[in-house]
Amino acid sequence: PVIVRVESSSMDSEISSESFRDLLDQLEKTTSTWSEGQPRISDDQNNTSPAQREEWHRKRQAVDQRIKLIVERTENLLGGWKCLLFGGFCGHPMEMCLRTKVEEYGLTLEKRVAAGLRFHEEDSRTLLFDSELLFGCVSAINALTPDQVASCVAYLFSLIYDHPFSVDLLDSCIPLTQLYSELIELYNSVMEKEKIERSCNILLLEKNLERFPWESLPFLRNNAES
């Protein structure tokens, strides 16, 4: 099981000026406004004019578009750690192969960054790299942008060095485009030719978070969630 904290009241201003609660409120306002003010049309087409049906579909389309934008902004708010909401690979043998490669890559990456930090006269002590979090990032690499991957990896190094580790500092140690390409290549070297079903995710949500239609998030549409 993985515990993911989603701030409902405030988020990092570098990610978004919106909070998760803001988006929830916007979503509920949009759906309630539609429920209360939607045009009334009869199931019997003989009692409904073409103009009434056209008005209903026009307004419904506008509501659907607003909801779509709110859902997309919510996914953006989650950032790169949305990767932790993906299901596993159902114990498939290739999952263990990918984990092994990620662990090996993590050790190499740690040494490369440590070498870069020495160049910058930073603290270069080495602690345990969290390969499990890196695996979560790599296993969902196709759903992440280069910026999201860089943010996740920089966070892992902030855990190692016990102080904030910026994306710019990471970029000075290893170019971010190179990092992203290497992780894509790592994933494809194991999983590219495999079509592995992911296990169902069971989300245990607190009362504010359960108000959101998680299954509608674009990156989860092809994953089983309950």
Side-chain angles (χ1 to χ4, degrees), residues 15 62 86 94:
I15 300 176
F86 277 72
M94 298 308 294

Side-chain angles (χ1 to χ4, degrees), residues 27-28 57-58 99 117 126 143 146 152 160 188-189 201 206 220:
L27 180 64
E28 291 189 341
H57 287 294
R58 179 178 57 80
R99 285 185 180 278
L117 291 178
T126 300
C152 289
I160 290 177
N188 288 339
S189 68
N201 257 0
E206 57 97 7
L220 289 179

Side-chain angles (χ1 to χ4, degrees), residues 16 18 20 27 43 56 66 79 86 90 93 99-100 119 121 125 135 140 142 151 156-157 174 182 188 192:
S16 172
E18 294 178 304
F20 195 85
L27 180 64
D43 293 333
W56 187 94
R66 286 199 295 272
F86 277 72
C90 302
R99 285 185 180 278
T100 300
F119 176 79
E121 297 182 352
R125 58 199 171 101
F135 174 79
N142 291 323
S151 178
L156 294 180
F157 280 104
I174 174 173
E182 289 176 356
N188 288 339
E192 183 178 28

Side-chain angles (χ1 to χ4, degrees), residues 12-31:
D12 188 340
S13 60
E14 293 182 1
I15 300 176
S16 172
S17 60
E18 294 178 304
S19 71
F20 195 85
R21 182 166 295 177
D22 290 336
L23 293 171
L24 280 174
D25 290 343
Q26 291 176 39
L27 180 64
E28 291 189 341
K29 181 179 179 180
T30 298
T31 54

